[in-house]
Amino acid sequence: MTVKETCMDESDPNALTVEQALERILATADRVTGSEAAALPDALDRVLAEPVTARIDVPPARNAAMDGYALAAHAGQAGRRLRVAGVSAAGHPWDGKLAPGECIRILTGAVVPDSADAVVMQEHVTLAGEHITLAADVEAGANIRHPGEDTRAGTVILDPGRQLTPADIGLLASQGIGEVTVLRRPRVALFTTGDELVPIGQPLQPGQIHDSNRHTLRALLSRYPVDFDDLGVIADTEDAVRAALTRAGESADLILTTGGVSVGDADFVTRLLQREGEVGFWKVAMKPGRPLAFGRFGRALFLGLPGNPVSVMATFSLFVRPALLRLCGTEPAPPWTLRARLLDDLRKNPGRADFQRGILEQRDGEWVVRSTGGQGSHQLRSMSLANAYIVLSRESRGARAGEQVDVIPFQSVF
Ligand code: AMP
Ligand code: MG
């Protein structure tokens, strides 16, 4: 069953746009200070604190780009017959010198001897006994990889602020670098609020629901180079919320909470932040996820997400992720947006930017997107089914099947 919605304007003059809210967050979030050494096997996704300079030329020596025969190109005319004088294999260089009329068998990655300046593909020769015959003329330099062609000793190969990718890890290994200096992991304290929340493993009494947000957040956070401290479910009392905020504010760089940021009677998070921390409490003109509290408590940055599970994920992807990346020391890239043909009619009231959940796929070379169905902010399955947001602008009054719409693939925001 879906909640019936009337087609009314949802604009609120006090609400910030998504862009304004993000700008304010990024104006405040600073990268952490402090660095540590990370061994290569632990360095994936960590953020470099210092530049990395290549120590050696890679490749270190001239080598063959394919399996074939190394020879002197001036003796490489079509029809020429050459004696195979030896073999250079990867890890086993040939230490002889080519005499006129000679070549050597060479394998991919093997060192090309100084007396050769070309490698001819084995498919371009015929082999008979100890001799090859060339099928075509050979050009000087053919199929030879030169020292430093990948990286040259002394050049900066990775800049500070770089979040290390698998390719970077390989690049470092190719340099024989086994350890890098990375920024320390930001500490994130998280808790959920709500008297209705029950941990997994406990049966539900009337009026209760399982606490899903904390697990969603833990899963989301596990993809970032952060340490997190899960403070559990906090009851809707001022004392309980104060105790959790105080503990978190003593040690964390960022406090993440869900629930209690509206203006209801049990919404202590915002009130405490107003009284005992610093608060920017905002309504953001987006759906899902209108209320968002942002500020400081103790030494920590504070981001209070709404309670509804879909709103938690939406606000995480648009606000927490960039803030986290900034704390981690790397610049957040804006989400990728692509255009796709809509397969369903979508309803929407003007006033808030809508991040509807969609399933994006390619059909016959064209991007198409369809709705996951029910779009309530309590319908977490819409997130589970989706792989992209369908973005409808603040003014939009919905979209019709066949229209081109903006889509943000989840890969770029989670
Ligand atoms: P609140 O923002 O605290 O008013 O919560 C809004 C809605 O989200 C309510 O329906 C809550 O029951 C629900 N909710 C809040 N926290 C959680 C949570 N941790 N897991 C699942 N649902 C939640
Ligand atoms: Mg609540």
Side-chain angles (χ1 to χ4, degrees), residues 193-196 236 259-260 266-267:
T193 65
D195 283 347
E196 74 279 33
D236 283 324
D267 293 326

Side-chain angles (χ1 to χ4, degrees), residues 192-194 196-197 209-214 258-262 267 305-309:
T192 51
T193 65
E196 74 279 33
L197 303 177
I209 59 170
H210 286 300
D211 171 19
S212 63
N213 288 346
R214 210 155 42 84
T258 75
V261 287
S262 302
D267 293 326
L305 311 184
N308 275 305

